[in-house]
């Protein structure tokens, strides 16, 4: 692990952080903040990158960083006024710096002409002060109210100046709040003094009235507040009930709403899933608290160590459920010490699990920041004007998910600029701002991560989409499709609307690649579009790749897990719904369609439990190989979260099985891979499947 | 993991070697004790689809999913007859851990390394592979198992 290689990778890791800082600081400058510390911070970051790059003889990077640094130095010593034009140059230079760092990291060469051009621009700035040192220069007369860098800049609080914004407050009192004599209505009345409220009472925690012991307070409130008040002022109201309630204060940035779109911004749907609301709160509160506070102290840890901890916690969870099951089996009296200890053990185990998962979790911010560069590049390449608005970038997602999302997201963002947004002329003609906007947002919702990419462009041209699909033979001519079905055609392999192929996204990679990549992460992607208003892509991903929502079934006396994501429905068909085709193939007739029935026991080579049970139990699953299939199973038990255990470590891959898990009784259950099953049940003549079947006793 | 690095290195020719001696398919086998992590009573095993006869399935070893082989089947001696004395030997080579179902474990012997004879080239089926040598014990001859070879041949190559 040590040696030049590890130092090198350390440098790139640090460079990545520094580039993140650079984007942040430039964004602050663009937002109008003129604190002189920002320029210093930018200078330091560029300087650090230059220093590190020098140690690894990355000459081009050093050369460029040096030039950039010189310009920044001139800015911080007040020789160069920070005009809008210069700010743009700084922004471009940061972009170029990231390109160079990335190229150096992958040992790739970059286009020297680009670097030369970028250096030339920087030189241009320096020439300007070389020739005449007067602050009003040729570069940009527009920003002439020249800036002097007083350390006590007055414009320190841009939030204050902003127009009214919406703050969403979620408030769920604990029993202690009432015990201490606090009164929620008084708190809400206080809030009302700060702005206009829209209060919603959340009764979801209300127990059944027949339940004998109502001891827990069941009320919670969701308060939407239009206000100018500072966050601190709102927090102050809740100061005395801190720790006595779940409280989250979310500030919604001032986004022009797209009222016609059916799916509103992710956050506003949270109340539909109150069960997970506390989880969402714990996520958002510390996250928003860190905003603007700069980087927190961090510790770099070897991934292997975390992996080990992760495995141990998986064990702990399984062990806990085993113990709980045992204690349950003992049928002890309910209020013995034992059961309360078991309950605390359960809570503790979940806490540890969440904490460990949080270690692997990373904010999507660096990923999103990269996208702002993509938007700029894409806009430049297509002659469009675009800005990127990021929301919820402190949302945390599993590290692997963040890494593997980079490519699909890049593709989709490019796509949004290239195909989504119209040209400035057309936008003006349609009465829109010539600068198109792409919104990129991330949020947690009921155990999933939702990432949306939305544009305010023209929306999908459904006629054209359908026409292209027909031309490409994806759908037969004359097919009647619903709007949503047409929209989803763009995810079909081989589909590309690039009638006028553009350099950018029309490079043969379709959105089907995006869909495949997202599905590989256990997620799904959807599209909604409104003509003239824009298009929104929604990516839904699991929070982690280490646990899975599964359905426990049994087949041939063996318990197995089917991933919930693959299951469409469970069916007990009537005898007339099953048709025999050929000697051993059966079809299920469902809502006018025929789907093949796959006998799971037979496909897996397990003994059949009961000979032709008339009451068949079928699991409808979606597979890539054969479309919708019906899996014949013996029993469906329940749904549960399982910890995924790989089979590859000690054994090898098994067709039709993706992994395994340990059940509460310590038994191992295999996690089925419906795709593998479907492919296997219809064996495509291949050497392996042939041999395996032949080897059966 | 803190397993010794030089597990499959044979001890120096002059040195002693400790062998776990056990019975499988009515024949005596032995395995270098450094490969053996523990010996457990027979516990439930989850069958794998389309697994060859000698692969009984997978079991849970403190959270790790490990395959269990019927040693008797591995040597072409037919499946192990269920018995109270059956045990699963947890064996390890490099990073791989497997379980071996054996008929019964008899003893642990310490013998000079030099007393292990090379296995003669016998005409034979699957029984001949996975044997690194023969050793003469008080009860008779015992076959010393070549665990790395057994693992290598019995486990499908990971994709």
């Amino acid at each position: 692990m040590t040696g030049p290689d590890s130092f090198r990778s350390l440098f790139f890791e640090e460079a990545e952080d520094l580039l993140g800082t650079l984007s942040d600081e430039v964004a602050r400058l663009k937002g109008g903040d003129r604190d002189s510390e920002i320029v210093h911070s930018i200078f330091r970051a560029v300087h650090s990158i230059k220093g590190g790059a020098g140690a690894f003889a990355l000459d081009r990077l050093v050369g460029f960083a040096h030039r950039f640094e010189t310009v920044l130095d001139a800015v911080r010593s007040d020789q160069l006024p920070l005009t809008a034009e210069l700010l743009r140059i700084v922004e471009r230079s940061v972009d170029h710096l990231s390109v160079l760092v990335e190229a150096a990291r992958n040992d790739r060469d970059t286009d020297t002409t680009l670097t030369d051009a970028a250096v030339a621009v920087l030189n241009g700035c320096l020439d300007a002060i070389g020739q005449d040192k007067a602050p009003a220069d040729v570069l940009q007369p527009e920003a002439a109210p020249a800036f002097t860098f007083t350390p006590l800049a007055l414009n320190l609080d841009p939030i204050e100046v902003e127009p009214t914004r919406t703050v969403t407050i979620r408030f769920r009192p604990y029993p202690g709040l009432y015990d201490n004599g606090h009164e929620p209505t008084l708190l809400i009345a206080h809030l009302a003094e700060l702005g206009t409220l829209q209060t919603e009472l959340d009764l979801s925690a209300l127990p059944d009235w027949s339940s004998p012991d109502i001891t827990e307070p069941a009320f919670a409130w969701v308060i939407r507040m239009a206000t100018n008040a500072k966050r601190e002022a709102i927090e102050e109201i809740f100061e005395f009930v801190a720790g006595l309630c779940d409280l989250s204060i979310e500030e919604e940035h001032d986004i022009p709403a797209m009222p016609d779109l059916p799916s509103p911004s992710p956050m506003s749907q949270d109340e539909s899933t109150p069960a997970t609301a506390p989880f969402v709160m714990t996520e958002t509160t510390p996250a928003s608290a860190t905003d603007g506070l700069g980087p927190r102290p961090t510790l770099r840890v070897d991934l292997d160590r975390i992996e080990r901890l992760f495995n141990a916690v998986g064990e702990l969870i399984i062990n806990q459920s085993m113990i709980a099951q045992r204690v349950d089996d003992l049928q002890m009296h309910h209020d013995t010490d034992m059961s309360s200890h078991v309950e605390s053990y359960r809570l503790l185990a979940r806490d540890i699990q969440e904490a460990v998962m949080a270690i692997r979790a990373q904010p999507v911010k660096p990923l999103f920041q990269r996208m702002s560069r993509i938007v700029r590049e894409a806009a430049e390449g297509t002659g469009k004007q675009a800005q990127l608005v990021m929301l919820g970038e402190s949302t945390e997602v599993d590290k692997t998910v963040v890494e593997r999302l980079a490519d699909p997201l890049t593709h989709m963002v490019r796509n949004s600029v290239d195909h989504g947004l119209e040209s400035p002329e057309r936008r003006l003609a349609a009465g829109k701002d010539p600068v198109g906007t792409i919104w990129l947002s991330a949020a947690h919702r009921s155990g999933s991560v939702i990432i949306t990419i939305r544009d305010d462009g023209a929306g999908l041209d459904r006629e054209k989409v359908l026409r292209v699909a027909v031309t490409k033979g994806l759908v037969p001519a004359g097919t009647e499709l619903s709007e949503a079905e047409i929209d989803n055609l763009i995810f079909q392999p081989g589909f590309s609307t690039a009638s006028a192929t553009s350099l950018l996204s029309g490079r043969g990679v379709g959105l089907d690649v995006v869909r495949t990549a997202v599905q590989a992460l256990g997620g799904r992607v959807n599209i909604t579009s409104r003509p003239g208003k824009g298009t929104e892509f929604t990516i839904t991903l699991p929070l982690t790749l280490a646990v899975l929502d599964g359905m426990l079934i049994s087949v041939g006396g063996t318990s197995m897990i089917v991933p919930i994501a693959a299951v469409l429905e469970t069916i007990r068909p009537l005898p007339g719904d099953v048709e025999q085709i050929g000697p051993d193939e059966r079809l299920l007739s469902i809502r006018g369609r025929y789907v093949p029935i796959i006998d799971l026991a037979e496909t897996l080579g397990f003994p059949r439990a009961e000979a032709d049970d008339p009451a068949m139990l079928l699991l409808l699953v979606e597979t890539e190989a054969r479309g919708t299939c019906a899996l014949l199973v013996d029993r469906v038990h329940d749904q549960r979260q399982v910890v995924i255990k790989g089979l590859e470590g000690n054994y090898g891959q098994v067709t039709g099985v993706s992994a395994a898990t340990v059940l509460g009784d310590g038994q191992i259950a295999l996690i089925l891979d419906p795709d593998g099953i479907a492919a296997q049940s219809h064996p495509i003549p291949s050497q392996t499947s042939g041999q395996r079947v032949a080897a059966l006793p | 993991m803190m397993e010794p690095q030089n597990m499959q290195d044979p001890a120096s020719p002059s040195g002693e070697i400790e062998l776990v001696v056990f019975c499988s398919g009515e024949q005596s086998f032995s395995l270098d004790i450094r490969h053996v992590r523990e010996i457990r009573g027979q516990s439930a095993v989850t069958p794998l689809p389309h697994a060859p006869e000698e692969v009984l399935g997978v079991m849970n070893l403190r959270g790790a999913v490990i395959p269990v082989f019927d040693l008797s089947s591995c040597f072409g001696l037919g499946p192990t007859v269920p018995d109270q004395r059956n045990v699963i030997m947890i064996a390890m080579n490099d990073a791989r851990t497997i379980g071996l179902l054996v008929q019964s474990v008899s003893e642990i012997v310490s013998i000079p390394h030099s007393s292990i004879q090379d296995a003669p080239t016998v005409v034979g089926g699957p029984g001949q592979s996975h044997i690194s040598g023969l050793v003469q014990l008080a009860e008779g001859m015992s076959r010393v198992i070549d665990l790395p070879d057994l693992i290598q041949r019995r486990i499908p190559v990971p994709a």
Side-chain angles (χ1 to χ4, degrees):
Chain A
M1 281 302 287
T2 47
D5 263 3
S6 74
F7 288 129
R8 198 181 147 94
S9 69
L10 192 65
F11 160 66
F12 284 116
E13 268 172 47
E14 277 173 5
E16 194 90 344
D17 289 353
L18 290 166
L19 287 170
T21 313
L22 282 173
S23 310
D24 277 353
E25 300 291 25
V26 172
R28 276 176 75 193
L29 285 178
K30 275 177 83 181
D33 196 341
R34 286 293 186 273
D35 190 336
S36 63
E37 185 46 42
I38 299 176
V39 180
H40 286 293
S41 161
I42 294 179
F43 176 83
R44 279 194 304 269
V46 174
H47 184 74
S48 305
I49 292 179
K50 185 184 98 171
F56 297 100
L58 304 168
D59 294 335
R60 188 168 316 157
L61 186 52
V62 174
F64 178 74
H66 178 71
R67 197 42 49 127
F68 188 14
E69 188 189 271
T70 318
V71 170
L72 290 168
D73 195 36
V75 175
R76 79 179 177 156
S77 58
D78 288 350
Q79 284 176 286
L80 258 182
L82 193 58
T83 57
E85 171 66 15
L86 184 56
L87 189 53
R88 213 179 56 80
I89 293 174
V90 169
E91 190 177 20
R92 291 294 171 79
S93 302
V94 170
D95 287 352
H96 192 69
L97 202 60
S98 355
V99 171
L100 288 175
V101 168
E102 212 171 286
R105 178 177 217 156
N106 302 328
D107 270 332
R108 265 190 296 110
D109 264 344
T110 48
D111 192 350
T112 34
T113 52
L114 284 179
T115 310
D116 292 346
V119 169
V121 170
L122 290 171
N123 280 339
C125 304
L126 292 172
D127 288 349
I129 49 164
Q131 282 154 18
D132 70 319
K133 297 221 168 194
D137 60 289
V138 273
L139 282 176
Q140 186 63 295
E142 160 213 83
F147 237 66
T148 45
F149 284 106
T150 33
L152 288 170
L154 289 173
N155 194 7
L156 268 176
D157 201 347
I159 301 167
E160 209 39 15
V161 201
E162 268 176 29
T164 305
R165 68 198 200 289
T166 311
V167 177
T168 306
I169 300 161
R170 286 163 214 281
F171 172 47
R172 179 182 292 276
Y174 298 151
L177 184 135
Y178 297 92
D179 293 348
N180 287 9
H182 294 289
E183 179 56 59
T185 44
L186 290 178
L187 294 168
I188 295 171
H190 262 142
L191 272 181
E193 293 171 16
L194 293 177
T196 344
L197 302 189
Q198 192 193 334
T199 311
E200 223 176 88
L201 183 59
D202 178 359
L203 288 173
S204 55
L206 205 61
D208 191 341
W209 289 115
S210 56
S211 143
D213 46 356
I214 300 174
T215 53
E216 296 280 306
F219 289 177
W221 286 267
V222 178
I223 304 154
R224 256 177 257 291
M225 178 171 170
T227 180
N228 265 322
K230 282 193 199 177
R231 189 188 179 92
E232 288 80 352
I234 299 168
E235 278 167 350
E236 207 172 287
I237 292 177
F238 291 96
E239 194 178 350
F240 292 106
V241 294
L244 298 174
C245 60
D246 275 332
L247 177 69
S248 85
I249 302 171
E250 284 162 24
E251 305 194 16
E252 277 165 33
H253 299 251
D254 200 14
I255 340 153
M258 218 156 85
D260 291 356
L261 271 186
S263 66
S265 87
M267 279 307 180
S268 59
Q269 286 193 353
D270 273 343
E271 63 264 23
S272 62
T273 55
T276 60
F279 181 61
V280 174
M281 284 169 199
T282 52
E283 288 290 321
T284 48
T285 320
S288 40
T290 58
D291 276 358
L293 283 182
R296 281 184 297 177
T298 53
L299 178 66
R300 290 192 200 280
V301 183
D302 198 351
L303 208 55
D304 280 352
R305 297 189 188 184
I306 294 172
E307 216 58 43
R308 232 153 76 199
L309 183 62
F310 210 86
N311 284 339
V313 170
E315 283 337 291
L316 183 72
I317 298 290
I318 291 161
N319 180 257
Q320 177 271 319
S321 56
M322 279 162 79
I323 291 180
Q325 199 170 325
R326 266 314 136 72
V327 169
D328 229 32
D329 291 349
L330 292 175
Q331 301 202 321
M332 276 192 282
H333 198 260
H334 234 22
D335 39 39
T336 49
D337 271 0
M338 193 62 196
S339 48
S340 76
H341 287 324
V342 169
E343 181 59 16
S344 351
Y345 180 28
R346 187 182 71 83
L347 294 175
L348 213 55
R350 304 286 149 176
D351 273 0
I352 297 175
Q353 187 190 26
E354 263 176 37
V356 173
M357 283 182 15
I359 298 181
R360 274 189 65 92
Q362 288 192 325
V364 290
K365 192 172 181 179
L367 181 65
F368 277 19
Q369 278 175 341
R370 244 187 284 173
M371 294 309 132
S372 69
R373 198 179 92 209
I374 303 294
V375 168
R376 279 196 293 274
E377 284 174 1
E380 218 163 88
T382 52
K384 292 174 182 173
Q385 292 176 23
Q387 57 166 337
L388 180 73
V389 177
M390 295 182 265
L391 298 168
E393 63 262 46
S394 47
T395 305
E396 294 191 329
V397 185
D398 188 274
K399 185 179 157 55
T400 323
V401 177
V402 173
E403 282 164 4
R404 287 167 57 185
L405 210 53
D407 284 347
L409 207 56
T410 306
H411 189 77
M412 291 175 86
V413 166
R414 266 199 198 125
N415 194 72
S416 287
V417 176
D418 194 9
H419 298 305
L421 296 181
E422 319 92 319
S423 61
E425 301 80 47
R426 279 184 57 196
R427 290 183 65 87
L428 277 174
K432 292 182 184 176
D433 186 339
V435 180
T437 307
I438 312 273
W439 286 272
L440 191 56
S441 75
H444 285 144
R445 192 199 298 162
S446 55
S448 301
V449 182
I450 316 281
I451 294 178
T452 55
I453 301 120
R454 195 173 91 200
D455 64 63
D456 63 350
L460 277 189
D461 183 347
R462 294 207 173 91
E463 266 179 43
K464 186 172 156 196
V465 168
L466 191 55
R467 213 166 51 233
V468 172
V470 171
T471 324
K472 303 224 169 183
L474 298 173
V475 286
T479 324
E480 288 286 324
L481 292 174
S482 71
E483 291 188 348
E485 280 172 326
I486 296 177
D487 292 351
N488 275 297
L489 283 176
I490 64 169
F491 290 113
Q492 291 285 323
F495 183 91
S496 174
T497 41
S499 59
T501 312
S502 64
L503 265 171
L504 226 47
S505 25
R507 51 183 70 166
V509 188
L511 281 172
D512 60 310
V513 177
V514 169
R515 172 168 275 187
T516 315
V518 170
Q519 278 172 346
L521 288 168
R524 52 179 197 278
V525 49
N526 290 309
I527 177 174
T528 37
S529 183
R530 286 265 141 173
K533 299 276 186 192
T535 309
E536 179 174 270
F537 290 95
T538 311
I539 301 176
T540 312
L541 292 164
L543 264 185
T544 162
L545 304 176
V547 288
L548 170 125
D549 278 311
M551 188 179 268
L552 184 68
I553 59 159
S554 59
V555 173
T558 308
S559 298
M560 303 194 123
I561 301 283
V562 183
I564 287 284
V567 179
L568 300 174
E569 55 183 307
T570 55
I571 295 179
R572 246 185 216 291
L574 300 170
D577 290 340
V578 179
E579 306 281 348
Q580 188 85 25
I581 298 276
D584 41 32
E585 177 128 22
R586 280 177 291 180
L587 293 179
L588 169 71
S589 154
I590 174 167
R591 292 184 285 273
R593 278 206 301 157
Y594 286 103
V595 299
I597 297 179
I598 297 174
D599 186 335
L600 208 49
E602 191 188 292
T603 309
L604 295 171
F606 289 165
R608 178 84 58 78
E610 295 108 52
D612 266 337
D613 189 355
M616 290 169 94
L617 186 52
L618 297 173
L619 228 55
L620 276 196
V621 293
E622 189 65 49
T623 68
E624 220 158 89
R626 294 180 71 190
T628 308
C629 294
L631 301 182
L632 176 59
V633 303
D634 294 344
R635 277 186 71 188
V636 170
H637 299 276
D638 60 1
Q639 292 184 12
R640 55 178 68 184
Q641 269 210 335
V642 297
V643 179
I644 299 173
K645 301 266 175 197
L647 278 176
E648 280 88 358
N650 290 311
Y651 194 60
Q653 281 197 325
V654 181
T655 322
V657 174
S658 61
T661 189
V662 180
L663 298 179
D665 59 2
Q667 285 298 298
I668 288 183
L670 301 177
I671 300 174
L672 286 182
D673 162 25
D675 258 322
I677 296 285
Q680 202 181 17
S681 69
H682 235 213
I684 310 144
S686 83
Q687 59 290 17
T688 47
S689 61
Q691 272 171 4
R692 288 241 170 117
V693 174
L696 274 181
Chain B
M1 290 287 177
M2 300 211 293
E3 65 266 16
Q5 288 295 308
N6 55 345
M7 203 139 146
Q8 66 268 51
D9 293 350
S12 58
S14 59
E16 295 267 300
I17 181 168
E18 276 190 293
L19 295 175
V20 179
V21 183
F22 51 91
C23 180
S24 203
E26 306 300 337
Q27 294 193 7
S28 173
F29 291 92
S30 45
L31 182 60
D32 187 337
I33 202 165
R34 288 172 299 172
H35 283 306
V36 182
R37 282 186 63 189
E38 61 183 282
I39 292 169
R40 306 163 63 99
Q42 193 177 4
S43 53
V45 167
T46 302
L48 288 175
H50 302 303
E53 188 194 18
E54 71 270 15
V55 179
L56 294 172
V58 285
M59 68 176 275
N60 169 22
L61 179 72
R62 287 181 298 276
V65 180
I66 65 166
V68 180
F69 295 84
D70 185 338
L71 197 72
S72 170
S73 295
C74 286
F75 286 98
L77 302 171
T80 300
V81 184
D83 184 276
Q84 284 289 315
R85 299 179 65 202
N86 292 1
V87 291
I88 293 178
M89 236 176 8
I90 308 298
M92 203 169 140
N93 183 52
D94 286 341
R96 276 189 202 272
T97 307
I98 62 163
L100 294 170
L101 175 70
V102 304
Q103 197 178 334
S104 61
V105 170
S106 32
E107 59 179 335
I108 294 170
V109 295
S110 189
I111 54 158
H113 199 273
S114 53
S115 67
I116 298 180
Q117 302 169 27
D118 286 347
T121 329
V122 204
V123 190
Q128 201 217 322
S129 50
H130 323 320
I131 298 289
S132 63
L134 300 173
V135 61
Q136 192 61 44
L137 300 175
E139 307 82 44
M141 186 195 72
S142 181
R143 297 147 190 80
V144 183
I145 292 176
D146 183 352
L147 188 72
D149 178 73
L150 185 130
I151 290 178
Q152 206 191 339
R153 287 175 195 239
R154 295 293 168 179
I155 284 181
V157 184

